[in-house]
Amino acid sequence: MVKRSFTCLSLALALLAGSAGATFNDITDENLAQAVASLDALSIMQGDGAGNFEPNRSLTRAEFTKLAAASLGVSDATAYQSYTLFPDVLYTHWASGYIAAMMKAPDLAKKQIIRGNPDGTFTPEKPVTYGEACTMLLRMLGYTEEDVGPFWPADYIAKAQAVGLTEGVSVTDAKSAVKRSDAAILLLNTLNAPLKDDAGATLMDNLASATVD
């Protein structure tokens, strides 16, 4: 209980610091600004280094995988950098470590958060779609096809809506590319959503615990 209280206090202070310090020239929406500040404070999602967040830029599958990994506490993926699991993601690719960690790390592999294409590729530079993002986020929370339903991506989007992951996002079409602004909202919603089998615990709890020695 002492560790949990200290963890929550530390996280609250980090988010307050992020809200005060992480401001971007190209964000005018207050809700988005708060979401981005929180993710910045948690070292999950940052700007371009020049004071911009690029909220309208689409994310690639590699970029979204990196954000998902960071949301699960993978801050350093160098241990997995040498893996080449897909022919179009060589070990020299900037995101190869994060992609491999999501598939090889003991706590993450069993969730099958990311998968390749039927032809064995990953298409890392292809824009991540709304359906793909909802699927990954639900798997991060512990949901499986048995929990969601067999019809992809419709069942996954419906489940994401039901558990509150999509609240506040602008994208609605399953095949639409996910913008950085919507990704920030989706990720923060997911961090604060209850895990499927963990009695009300959240990814935010786990992430905060991982940051406290």
Side-chain angles (χ1 to χ4, degrees):
M1 181 64 69
V2 173
K3 180 180 179 181
R4 178 68 176 273
S5 298
F6 178 65
T7 298
C8 292
L9 176 59
S10 299
L11 179 59
L13 292 174
L15 295 182
L16 285 173
S19 298
T23 57
F24 298 96
N25 302 323
D26 51 359
I27 293 181
T28 57
D29 181 82
E30 183 177 347
N31 290 331
L32 176 59
Q34 292 178 351
V36 170
S38 297
L39 295 175
D40 181 83
L42 292 166
S43 298
I44 293 173
M45 198 172 189
Q46 292 83 30
D48 63 0
N52 299 307
F53 183 72
E54 302 179 287
N56 295 317
R57 180 171 70 78
S58 298
L59 284 167
T60 66
R61 283 165 53 85
E63 288 173 327
F64 195 81
T65 298
K66 192 265 184 183
L67 295 176
S71 299
L72 292 167
V74 181
S75 58
D76 183 0
T78 53
Y80 296 90
Q81 189 72 40
S82 61
Y83 287 95
T84 295
L85 303 178
F86 300 99
D88 55 348
V89 186
L90 301 180
Y91 72 93
T92 53
H93 190 283
W94 72 267
S96 65
Y98 294 101
I99 292 170
M102 292 287 269
M103 299 190 70
K104 303 287 285 186
D107 292 339
L108 304 182
K110 59 186 177 183
K111 294 185 176 183
Q112 297 187 320
I113 296 168
I114 64 171
R115 298 174 185 173
N117 301 310
D119 64 358
T121 62
F122 187 73
T123 51
E125 309 311 324
K126 181 182 177 182
V128 66
T129 67
Y130 182 45
E132 290 170 338
C134 287
T135 301
M136 290 174 62
L137 296 174
L138 285 170
R139 289 173 180 165
M140 288 164 59
L141 293 173
Y143 290 95
T144 65
E145 184 176 312
E146 287 71 25
D147 304 310
V148 177
F151 301 108
W152 187 89
D155 286 346
Y156 284 83
I157 292 175
K159 187 66 173 181
Q161 292 172 338
V163 299
L165 305 190
T166 64
E167 184 176 352
V169 302
S170 62
V171 62
T172 56
D173 184 80
K175 296 181 179 179
S176 292
V178 175
K179 298 183 296 185
R180 282 171 56 82
S181 57
D182 284 325
I185 300 295
L186 285 167
L187 287 165
L188 192 61
N189 287 345
T190 302
L191 286 172
N192 288 305
L195 296 169
K196 185 179 80 81
D197 294 320
D198 206 352
T202 68
L203 288 176
M204 186 73 84
D205 295 330
N206 294 342
L207 187 62
S209 296
T211 62
V212 176
D213 184 14

